[in-house]
Amino acid sequence: MSAALADPPPALLPVAEHSIPARRVIFRQRDMHDVVPFICHGWAAAAVTLSDGSRQILSFLIPGDIVSSSLLFGPAAHCMVEAITEVHYRCFRREDLKSMLLTDPDLFDKISRLWIDGKLRAYDLAVDLGRRTADERIARLILGLKERLTSRGLAQGETMDFPLRQHHVADATGLTAVHVSKVLSEFRRRGLIEINDRCLTILKPVEFQRIATMR
Amino acid sequence: MSAALADPPPALLPVAEHSIPARRVIFRQRDMHDVVPFICHGWAAAAVTLSDGSRQILSFLIPGDIVSSSLLFGPAAHCMVEAITEVHYRCFRREDLKSMLLTDPDLFDKISRLWIDGKLRAYDLAVDLGRRTADERIARLILGLKERLTSRGLAQGETMDFPLRQHHVADATGLTAVHVSKVLSEFRRRGLIEINDRCLTILKPVEFQRIATMR
DNA sequence: CGCAGTTTTGATTTCTGTCAACGTCTGTGG
DNA sequence: CCACAGACGTTGACAGAAATCAAAACTGCG
């Protein structure tokens, strides 16, 4: 189960709410903020862009996620965030959160959990990118998303929303969109998964899981 | 400059000091601890091992590093730590650190800095593994280590201790030891670096830097 | 000395990227 | 309602990067 601040502390009032259309950048790598934004609706991606234009997506953000958890501690976001679908998010003042943090040990634990989870996911990503094949990476991405969605009550059994384009999958797995297309086609051909209408269903959970955990 | 707790808070006394010989595991992925260990001498590696035996090194630990920064918040280390050289480290009680954390805002900032740095390095690693070639990854690993050593006064100009075996470099960069050997040979042949006696010197800093930042 | 761990080198294979062409879908404006 | 443009997805031929395999030399050490 992944930690999330699905219910922000009731004493805390958002200072702003925003709505952003799909494919729009929410904020850039060098931006500074004194607010901490939480996603309440839609999907986004946190990414880094290299000077040759290639991108690495570090994490997909779904409802309940902090947009950039380093904003909890300082004004630097450190990565670019882009809306995938239409996104609604709410901002809280960092100063408010910080002072609550020091007085409310419960909130402190919640935030620590959030941080540790984020770091573990960053490490998992590194392991995937460093040591796994294209098939494994893609299967693991899908299963990881499904697990996170499930833990927030946002999945329906083996079916889940899947608004990602193949280039998102490519940018997240360190592959090219062309290769992602080939791997997904092969998954479909083998009857492992099905993608219709921006929804993904895992048809053979056991076999699919095996691909993700080959090593 | 990378954050480090080179000088632990003076009021805090280590509850234990240890010395571990080279190549010995300091602790395992599933171990639980109520102490937070800091390296005071030697190099170690934090790694994850997959079931087929392949490993991904997530970070090299040098003097001043917390052995596993997730230990600040909970008893789970989440990865294996192995000594590369002989290592000396000191342990502090998590409970002591935690209660100081809530009273001493200065320490709080220091620790936040440490966390953010750790996470940024995890993200950098993911970007390197996902989007860069073997040459770039190896050059960046070397330069990253040099920078961290320099910021702690542990490097001598363009020369630094380099106790890593080629398999360490391979495990950290997602490559094989064979390929690392070929790339390092090529670097040497081009007169970019020199490795003698477990010491590495960057002979052409500008050119070497360029390899690391090609994209 | 002998042994285990390391490094080097070359031949070959596998995986993934690149390039290019084409088909589909979606939303927009006439 | 249709035409069109841009984004997206698919496919095949080919190229390139790194892995794998194998053998041999080197290193440090009990």
Side-chain angles (χ1 to χ4, degrees), chain A residues 111-146:
Chain A
I111 297 275
S112 321
R113 172 74 62 86
L114 212 71
W115 258 93
I116 294 191
D117 263 38
K119 187 137 179 196
L120 290 185
R121 284 203 290 133
Y123 279 156
D124 278 354
L125 178 62
V127 173
D128 288 351
L129 295 175
R131 291 293 167 206
R132 299 190 198 267
T133 65
D135 290 12
E136 294 174 278
R137 292 186 214 174
I138 294 175
R140 293 174 70 82
L141 174 65
I142 292 170
L143 288 170
L145 285 169
K146 175 163 165 283

Side-chain angles (χ1 to χ4, degrees), chain A residues 158-160 162 187-188 191-196 199-203:
Chain A
E158 296 299 332
T159 298
M160 65 196 249
F162 197 77
F187 284 169
R188 270 187 306 239
L192 298 174
I193 61 171
E194 184 180 76
I195 305 181
N196 291 316
C199 273
L200 187 152
T201 304
I202 299 174
L203 300 172

Side-chain angles (χ1 to χ4, degrees), chain B residues 33-101:
Chain B
H33 303 265
D34 49 9
V35 292
V36 184
F38 290 79
I39 307 267
C40 26
H41 175 265
W43 290 43
V48 168
T49 305
L50 303 186
S51 59
D52 73 342
S54 63
R55 300 184 351 146
Q56 178 64 48
I57 291 181
L58 299 170
S59 132
F60 290 111
L61 306 174
I62 59 177
D65 282 331
I66 297 189
V67 167
S68 166
S69 48
S70 69
L71 285 176
L72 282 170
F73 294 114
H78 297 297
C79 58
M80 187 197 62
V81 176
E82 200 175 294
I84 292 171
T85 63
E86 187 189 49
V87 165
H88 300 190
Y89 65 95
R90 282 194 244 272
C91 294
F92 300 86
R93 262 184 221 299
R94 179 173 43 260
E95 286 312 317
D96 296 354
L97 272 172
K98 200 167 169 178
S99 52
M100 282 199 68
L101 208 62

Side-chain angles (χ1 to χ4, degrees), chain A residues 82-142:
Chain A
E82 201 175 294
I84 293 171
T85 64
E86 186 189 48
V87 166
H88 300 190
Y89 65 96
R90 281 195 245 272
C91 294
F92 300 86
R93 264 185 219 297
R94 178 171 48 258
E95 287 312 316
D96 296 354
L97 272 171
K98 201 167 168 180
S99 53
M100 283 200 66
L101 208 62
L102 294 173
T103 56
D104 177 350
D106 200 50
L107 181 61
F108 182 86
D109 285 346
K110 239 182 198 161
I111 297 275
S112 321
R113 172 74 62 86
L114 212 71
W115 258 93
I116 294 191
D117 263 38
K119 187 137 179 196
L120 290 185
R121 284 203 290 133
Y123 279 156
D124 278 354
L125 178 62
V127 173
D128 288 351
L129 295 175
R131 291 293 167 206
R132 299 190 198 267
T133 65
D135 290 12
E136 294 174 278
R137 292 186 214 174
I138 294 175
R140 293 174 70 82
L141 174 65
I142 292 170

Side-chain angles (χ1 to χ4, degrees), chain A:
Chain A
M1 173 212 63
S2 88
L5 278 187
D7 318 298
L12 214 54
L13 289 179
V15 295
E17 301 201 24
H18 299 273
S19 172
I20 299 269
R23 300 155 92 278
R24 185 77 52 85
V25 170
I26 300 182
F27 54 70
R28 296 171 197 290
Q29 216 152 327
R30 311 234 154 269
D31 287 359
M32 302 295 247
H33 303 264
D34 49 7
V35 293
V36 184
F38 291 80
I39 307 267
C40 25
H41 175 263
W43 290 43
V48 168
T49 305
L50 303 186
S51 58
D52 71 342
S54 63
R55 301 186 346 148
Q56 178 64 49
I57 291 180
L58 299 170
S59 135
F60 290 110
L61 307 173
I62 58 176
D65 282 331
I66 299 191
V67 167
S68 164
S69 48
S70 69
L71 285 177
L72 282 170
F73 294 113
H78 298 297
C79 59
M80 187 197 64
V81 176
E82 201 175 294
I84 293 171
T85 64
E86 186 189 48
V87 166
H88 300 190
Y89 65 96
R90 281 195 245 272
C91 294
F92 300 86
R93 264 185 219 297
R94 178 171 48 258
E95 287 312 316
D96 296 354
L97 272 171
K98 201 167 168 180
S99 53
M100 283 200 66
L101 208 62
L102 294 173
T103 56
D104 177 350
D106 200 50
L107 181 61
F108 182 86
D109 285 346
K110 239 182 198 161
I111 297 275
S112 321
R113 172 74 62 86
L114 212 71
W115 258 93
I116 294 191
D117 263 38
K119 187 137 179 196
L120 290 185
R121 284 203 290 133
Y123 279 156
D124 278 354
L125 178 62
V127 173
D128 288 351
L129 295 175
R131 291 293 167 206
R132 299 190 198 267
T133 65
D135 290 12
E136 294 174 278
R137 292 186 214 174
I138 294 175
R140 293 174 70 82
L141 174 65
I142 292 170
L143 288 170
L145 285 169
K146 175 163 165 283
E147 195 183 316
R148 285 210 292 147
L149 289 167
T150 300
S151 80
R152 297 183 196 183
L154 299 173
Q156 303 79 45
E158 296 299 332
T159 298
M160 65 196 249
D161 276 353
F162 197 77
L164 306 185
R165 305 291 161 163
Q166 294 188 352
H167 77 261
H168 291 120
V169 176
D171 288 347
T173 52
L175 302 167
T176 58
V178 173
H179 198 62
V180 168
S181 168
K182 287 169 183 169
V183 171
L184 286 178
S185 297
E186 178 64 13
F187 284 169
R188 270 187 306 239
R189 197 195 57 71
R190 291 209 260 158
L192 298 174
I193 61 171
E194 184 180 76
I195 305 181
N196 291 316
D197 239 4
R198 309 282 143 210
C199 273
L200 187 152
T201 304
I202 299 174
L203 300 172
K204 297 183 181 170
V206 178
E207 210 173 320
F208 195 59
Q209 184 75 44
R210 196 159 48 230
I211 290 177
T213 49
M214 291 235 99
R215 62 186 83 195

